[in-house]
Amino acid sequence: MKINNSRNSLLRARNLRSARKSRVGHILGSRTSRSGSSSRSGSTKRTTSSTTASPTKVKQLAMYENMEKSASDIQDSVKLMLAIGKMSYTDDEAGKKTEESDKENLLKCIKEFVADFNVVRDELTDIGGAANLAFKKTLDSVVSTNADDLKEIGITVLKSGELALDERTLEKADYDKIKALFAKDGGFAEKISVKMESIEHAAANSLNTLNKLYGATSTYNKYGTSNSYLNSGYNNYNYNNYGSNSSWYF
């Protein structure tokens, strides 16, 4: 049963990643098919190209945007979890209800953390490049050091390096052990969050480079999806050196 739960959790996470990539790709593709002018928040108008962006370019931008957003989301989740870890509660009914609510929020954050971690790690792998693979190696190192403790609360490290979550085991696990990993200063979650800050910054820099190269404008927002689009200038560049994964790192 635990194996099935872990597989189902991993499948949901993979479906989430696929949906994110599909959504960003759809946005990029639809933007490039428009002609005339478009406005963003009532400001400067931009002319878009009727030429459809190549799947390679669309995928490349989507991967970096997925990485940037998921790395940012992990940092937000960890901030909330650390705040919960510092909470103290009264022994009355109100205190018990607050503690139970915080526990539910902590478990929810952990589930989101696992899904976002897998997104970031997968994108680092797929994009490739020395720096991205170095980031992945540092994440794997932190995970490996905490693998046994994670397994005790229902989080298994798969051979692929992804994390698989058994939600039933997590919900029944010792709460103090959960907090030690995810809601304690210097714990597993905070160490991952520190790495994610560097990864988010690197992804943002890569997006800026790609946006200039492709003539694209990215309006990535931490509170929503990307609204990137390619303008008419992108086809003036030479992309022959960027057709394979090995050339996608900036």
Side-chain angles (χ1 to χ4, degrees), residues 101-225:
S101 176
D102 283 348
K103 181 178 180 180
E104 291 177 2
N105 287 331
L106 179 59
L107 297 184
K108 179 182 178 182
C109 283
I110 292 173
K111 295 171 187 178
E112 294 173 348
F113 176 101
V114 170
D116 285 322
F117 176 91
N118 288 338
V119 170
V120 172
R121 193 184 180 284
D122 285 354
E123 302 297 24
L124 288 171
T125 302
D126 292 344
I127 297 172
N132 286 331
L133 296 180
F135 279 135
K136 186 182 75 169
K137 186 175 181 179
T138 62
L139 293 178
D140 289 347
S141 177
V142 177
V143 170
S144 177
T145 301
N146 294 272
D148 291 339
D149 292 332
L150 289 170
K151 188 174 182 180
E152 283 189 31
I153 66 169
I155 300 175
T156 304
V157 184
L158 303 180
K159 291 182 179 180
S160 64
E162 292 181 296
L163 300 180
L165 173 64
D166 184 328
E167 294 185 12
R168 291 186 180 180
T169 299
L170 176 65
E171 292 166 359
K172 295 179 181 179
D174 184 283
Y175 190 45
D176 287 334
K177 290 183 178 180
I178 293 175
K179 289 194 294 183
L181 285 167
F182 287 93
K184 180 181 178 182
D185 289 336
F188 166 74
E190 187 178 40
K191 289 178 180 177
I192 291 293
S193 181
V194 170
K195 305 298 182 185
M196 290 296 174
E197 184 176 2
S198 298
I199 291 171
E200 180 190 6
H201 181 69
N205 285 340
S206 294
L207 275 172
N208 286 335
T209 300
L210 290 172
N211 287 336
K212 293 176 182 178
L213 179 67
Y214 291 169
T217 298
S218 176
T219 60
Y220 167 76
N221 186 321
K222 289 185 179 181
Y223 306 101
T225 60

Side-chain angles (χ1 to χ4, degrees), residues 4 12 17 31 33-34 57 70 74 86 94 106 136 138 140 150 153-155 174 183 185 194 199 226 248:
N4 288 334
R12 288 195 296 273
R17 295 196 294 278
R31 294 284 185 182
S33 66
R34 296 181 183 179
K57 298 164 193 171
S70 293
I74 283 180
K86 293 179 174 68
L106 179 59
K136 186 182 75 169
T138 62
D140 289 347
L150 289 170
I153 66 169
I155 300 175
D174 184 283
D185 289 336
V194 170
I199 291 171
S226 163
W248 282 6

